[in-house]
PDB file of all heavy atoms in Angstrom:
ATOM      1  N   LEU A  14     175.546 177.703 221.640  1.00 93.00           N
ATOM      2  CA  LEU A  14     176.649 176.975 220.993  1.00 93.00           C
ATOM      3  C   LEU A  14     177.169 175.865 221.906  1.00 93.00           C
ATOM      4  O   LEU A  14     177.434 174.736 221.455  1.00 93.00           O
ATOM      5  CB  LEU A  14     177.767 177.971 220.695  1.00 93.00           C
ATOM      6  CG  LEU A  14     178.723 177.637 219.546  1.00 93.00           C
ATOM      7  CD1 LEU A  14     177.965 177.473 218.247  1.00 93.00           C
ATOM      8  CD2 LEU A  14     179.742 178.770 219.398  1.00 93.00           C
ATOM      9  N   ILE A  15     177.270 176.183 223.197  1.00 94.00           N
ATOM     10  CA  ILE A  15     177.778 175.200 224.165  1.00 94.00           C
ATOM     11  C   ILE A  15     176.813 174.025 224.280  1.00 94.00           C
ATOM     12  O   ILE A  15     177.207 172.855 224.271  1.00 94.00           O
ATOM     13  CB  ILE A  15     178.011 175.862 225.541  1.00 94.00           C
ATOM     14  CG1 ILE A  15     179.186 176.837 225.452  1.00 94.00           C
ATOM     15  CG2 ILE A  15     178.279 174.822 226.626  1.00 94.00           C
ATOM     16  CD1 ILE A  15     179.343 177.742 226.652  1.00 94.00           C
ATOM     17  N   ILE A  16     175.514 174.350 224.374  1.00 92.00           N
ATOM     18  CA  ILE A  16     174.505 173.291 224.488  1.00 92.00           C
ATOM     19  C   ILE A  16     174.526 172.406 223.246  1.00 92.00           C
ATOM     20  O   ILE A  16     174.489 171.173 223.324  1.00 92.00           O
ATOM     21  CB  ILE A  16     173.089 173.890 224.694  1.00 92.00           C
ATOM     22  CG1 ILE A  16     173.017 174.617 226.034  1.00 92.00           C
ATOM     23  CG2 ILE A  16     172.026 172.802 224.624  1.00 92.00           C
ATOM     24  CD1 ILE A  16     171.745 175.411 226.234  1.00 92.00           C
ATOM     25  N   ALA A  17     174.610 173.036 222.078  1.00 90.00           N
ATOM     26  CA  ALA A  17     174.634 172.277 220.825  1.00 90.00           C
ATOM     27  C   ALA A  17     175.893 171.407 220.754  1.00 90.00           C
ATOM     28  O   ALA A  17     175.837 170.243 220.308  1.00 90.00           O
ATOM     29  CB  ALA A  17     174.578 173.221 219.623  1.00 90.00           C
ATOM     30  N   ALA A  18     177.010 171.957 221.211  1.00 90.00           N
ATOM     31  CA  ALA A  18     178.268 171.197 221.189  1.00 90.00           C
ATOM     32  C   ALA A  18     178.178 169.981 222.108  1.00 90.00           C
ATOM     33  O   ALA A  18     178.628 168.883 221.752  1.00 90.00           O
ATOM     34  CB  ALA A  18     179.422 172.097 221.597  1.00 90.00           C
ATOM     35  N   ILE A  19     177.588 170.174 223.289  1.00 89.00           N
ATOM     36  CA  ILE A  19     177.406 169.043 224.213  1.00 89.00           C
ATOM     37  C   ILE A  19     176.528 167.980 223.553  1.00 89.00           C
ATOM     38  O   ILE A  19     176.802 166.771 223.643  1.00 89.00           O
ATOM     39  CB  ILE A  19     176.786 169.509 225.544  1.00 89.00           C
ATOM     40  CG1 ILE A  19     177.761 170.412 226.303  1.00 89.00           C
ATOM     41  CG2 ILE A  19     176.384 168.316 226.413  1.00 89.00           C
ATOM     42  CD1 ILE A  19     177.170 171.082 227.516  1.00 89.00           C
ATOM     43  N   GLY A  20     175.491 168.453 222.872  1.00 88.00           N
ATOM     44  CA  GLY A  20     174.602 167.528 222.177  1.00 88.00           C
ATOM     45  C   GLY A  20     175.334 166.740 221.105  1.00 88.00           C
ATOM     46  O   GLY A  20     175.180 165.521 221.002  1.00 88.00           O
ATOM     47  N   VAL A  21     176.166 167.442 220.326  1.00 85.00           N
ATOM     48  CA  VAL A  21     176.907 166.778 219.250  1.00 85.00           C
ATOM     49  C   VAL A  21     177.870 165.741 219.835  1.00 85.00           C
ATOM     50  O   VAL A  21     178.036 164.639 219.299  1.00 85.00           O
ATOM     51  CB  VAL A  21     177.681 167.813 218.404  1.00 85.00           C
ATOM     52  CG1 VAL A  21     178.655 167.129 217.471  1.00 85.00           C
ATOM     53  CG2 VAL A  21     176.702 168.632 217.589  1.00 85.00           C
ATOM     54  N   MET A  22     178.499 166.097 220.951  1.00 85.00           N
ATOM     55  CA  MET A  22     179.449 165.154 221.568  1.00 85.00           C
ATOM     56  C   MET A  22     178.719 163.957 222.172  1.00 85.00           C
ATOM     57  O   MET A  22     179.299 162.880 222.301  1.00 85.00           O
ATOM     58  CB  MET A  22     180.262 165.872 222.649  1.00 85.00           C
ATOM     59  CG  MET A  22     181.300 166.803 222.055  1.00 85.00           C
ATOM     60  SD  MET A  22     182.426 167.502 223.254  1.00 85.00           S
ATOM     61  CE  MET A  22     181.376 168.504 224.250  1.00 85.00           C
ATOM     62  N   GLY A  23     177.442 164.151 222.506  1.00 82.00           N
ATOM     63  CA  GLY A  23     176.714 163.090 223.186  1.00 82.00           C
ATOM     64  C   GLY A  23     175.959 162.149 222.274  1.00 82.00           C
ATOM     65  O   GLY A  23     175.492 161.097 222.706  1.00 82.00           O
ATOM     66  N   VAL A  24     175.826 162.507 221.004  1.00 79.00           N
ATOM     67  CA  VAL A  24     175.069 161.623 220.106  1.00 79.00           C
ATOM     68  C   VAL A  24     175.960 160.462 219.656  1.00 79.00           C
ATOM     69  O   VAL A  24     177.155 160.442 219.914  1.00 79.00           O
ATOM     70  CB  VAL A  24     174.536 162.373 218.870  1.00 79.00           C
ATOM     71  CG1 VAL A  24     173.522 163.417 219.275  1.00 79.00           C
ATOM     72  CG2 VAL A  24     175.651 162.977 218.063  1.00 79.00           C
ATOM     73  N   ALA A  25     175.330 159.531 218.981  1.00 72.00           N
ATOM     74  CA  ALA A  25     176.081 158.386 218.477  1.00 72.00           C
ATOM     75  C   ALA A  25     177.132 158.872 217.477  1.00 72.00           C
ATOM     76  O   ALA A  25     176.893 159.836 216.752  1.00 72.00           O
ATOM     77  CB  ALA A  25     175.135 157.405 217.801  1.00 72.00           C
ATOM     78  N   PRO A  26     178.284 158.225 217.445  1.00 73.00           N
ATOM     79  CA  PRO A  26     179.340 158.684 216.547  1.00 73.00           C
ATOM     80  C   PRO A  26     178.910 158.613 215.080  1.00 73.00           C
ATOM     81  O   PRO A  26     178.113 157.758 214.689  1.00 73.00           O
ATOM     82  CB  PRO A  26     180.492 157.700 216.805  1.00 73.00           C
ATOM     83  CG  PRO A  26     180.145 157.010 218.066  1.00 73.00           C
ATOM     84  CD  PRO A  26     178.676 157.042 218.207  1.00 73.00           C
ATOM     85  N   ILE A  27     179.466 159.518 214.303  1.00 70.00           N
ATOM     86  CA  ILE A  27     179.195 159.513 212.866  1.00 70.00           C
ATOM     87  C   ILE A  27     180.024 158.396 212.252  1.00 70.00           C
ATOM     88  O   ILE A  27     181.167 158.170 212.637  1.00 70.00           O
ATOM     89  CB  ILE A  27     179.592 160.869 212.239  1.00 70.00           C
ATOM     90  CG1 ILE A  27     178.723 161.974 212.839  1.00 70.00           C
ATOM     91  CG2 ILE A  27     179.432 160.840 210.718  1.00 70.00           C
ATOM     92  CD1 ILE A  27     179.169 163.377 212.465  1.00 70.00           C
ATOM     93  N   GLY A  28     179.448 157.685 211.307  1.00 67.00           N
ATOM     94  CA  GLY A  28     180.207 156.637 210.649  1.00 67.00           C
ATOM     95  C   GLY A  28     179.500 155.296 210.757  1.00 67.00           C
ATOM     96  O   GLY A  28     178.423 155.195 211.344  1.00 67.00           O
ATOM     97  N   PRO A  29     180.098 154.253 210.197  1.00 67.00           N
ATOM     98  CA  PRO A  29     179.455 152.933 210.186  1.00 67.00           C
ATOM     99  C   PRO A  29     179.266 152.396 211.608  1.00 67.00           C
ATOM    100  O   PRO A  29     180.088 152.645 212.496  1.00 67.00           O
ATOM    101  CB  PRO A  29     180.441 152.053 209.418  1.00 67.00           C
ATOM    102  CG  PRO A  29     181.371 152.976 208.740  1.00 67.00           C
ATOM    103  CD  PRO A  29     181.396 154.242 209.527  1.00 67.00           C
ATOM    104  N   ILE A  30     178.172 151.673 211.764  1.00 64.00           N
ATOM    105  CA  ILE A  30     177.865 151.108 213.079  1.00 64.00           C
ATOM    106  C   ILE A  30     178.572 149.759 213.190  1.00 64.00           C
ATOM    107  O   ILE A  30     178.419 148.895 212.326  1.00 64.00           O
ATOM    108  CB  ILE A  30     176.351 150.916 213.235  1.00 64.00           C
ATOM    109  CG1 ILE A  30     175.642 152.271 213.154  1.00 64.00           C
ATOM    110  CG2 ILE A  30     176.018 150.234 214.545  1.00 64.00           C
ATOM    111  CD1 ILE A  30     174.149 152.157 213.061  1.00 64.00           C
ATOM    112  N   SER A  31     179.329 149.580 214.272  1.00 67.00           N
ATOM    113  CA  SER A  31     179.984 148.290 214.461  1.00 67.00           C
ATOM    114  C   SER A  31     179.390 147.529 215.642  1.00 67.00           C
ATOM    115  O   SER A  31     179.765 146.407 215.912  1.00 67.00           O
ATOM    116  CB  SER A  31     181.486 148.490 214.686  1.00 67.00           C
ATOM    117  OG  SER A  31     181.687 149.345 215.794  1.00 67.00           O
ATOM    118  N   GLY A  32     178.453 148.147 216.315  1.00 66.00           N
ATOM    119  CA  GLY A  32     177.821 147.466 217.445  1.00 66.00           C
ATOM    120  C   GLY A  32     176.985 148.429 218.249  1.00 66.00           C
ATOM    121  O   GLY A  32     177.091 149.635 218.074  1.00 66.00           O
ATOM    122  N   PRO A  33     176.148 147.914 219.147  1.00 64.00           N
ATOM    123  CA  PRO A  33     175.261 148.794 219.913  1.00 64.00           C
ATOM    124  C   PRO A  33     176.014 149.786 220.792  1.00 64.00           C
ATOM    125  O   PRO A  33     175.542 150.884 221.029  1.00 64.00           O
ATOM    126  CB  PRO A  33     174.434 147.838 220.778  1.00 64.00           C
ATOM    127  CG  PRO A  33     175.156 146.542 220.729  1.00 64.00           C
ATOM    128  CD  PRO A  33     175.937 146.504 219.465  1.00 64.00           C
ATOM    129  N   VAL A  34     177.200 149.417 221.270  1.00 63.00           N
ATOM    130  CA  VAL A  34     177.961 150.342 222.114  1.00 63.00           C
ATOM    131  C   VAL A  34     178.323 151.588 221.308  1.00 63.00           C
ATOM    132  O   VAL A  34     178.336 152.686 221.814  1.00 63.00           O
ATOM    133  CB  VAL A  34     179.241 149.666 222.655  1.00 63.00           C
ATOM    134  CG1 VAL A  34     180.125 150.687 223.357  1.00 63.00           C
ATOM    135  CG2 VAL A  34     178.863 148.538 223.607  1.00 63.00           C
ATOM    136  N   VAL A  35     178.612 151.384 220.034  1.00 63.00           N
ATOM    137  CA  VAL A  35     179.000 152.506 219.178  1.00 63.00           C
ATOM    138  C   VAL A  35     177.772 153.224 218.653  1.00 63.00           C
ATOM    139  O   VAL A  35     177.795 154.423 218.436  1.00 63.00           O
ATOM    140  CB  VAL A  35     179.865 152.009 217.987  1.00 63.00           C
ATOM    141  CG1 VAL A  35     180.271 153.166 217.093  1.00 63.00           C
ATOM    142  CG2 VAL A  35     181.084 151.287 218.495  1.00 63.00           C
ATOM    143  N   SER A  36     176.659 152.516 218.456  1.00 68.00           N
ATOM    144  CA  SER A  36     175.515 153.122 217.785  1.00 68.00           C
ATOM    145  C   SER A  36     174.626 153.897 218.744  1.00 68.00           C
ATOM    146  O   SER A  36     173.868 154.736 218.311  1.00 68.00           O
ATOM    147  CB  SER A  36     174.678 152.056 217.079  1.00 68.00           C
ATOM    148  OG  SER A  36     174.082 151.207 218.039  1.00 68.00           O
TER     149      SER A  36
END
Side-chain angles (χ1 to χ4, degrees):
Chain A
L14 205 58
I15 291 169
I16 295 171
I19 293 171
V21 169
M22 286 188 295
V24 295
I27 297 171
I30 298 170
S31 57
V34 172
V35 180
S36 67

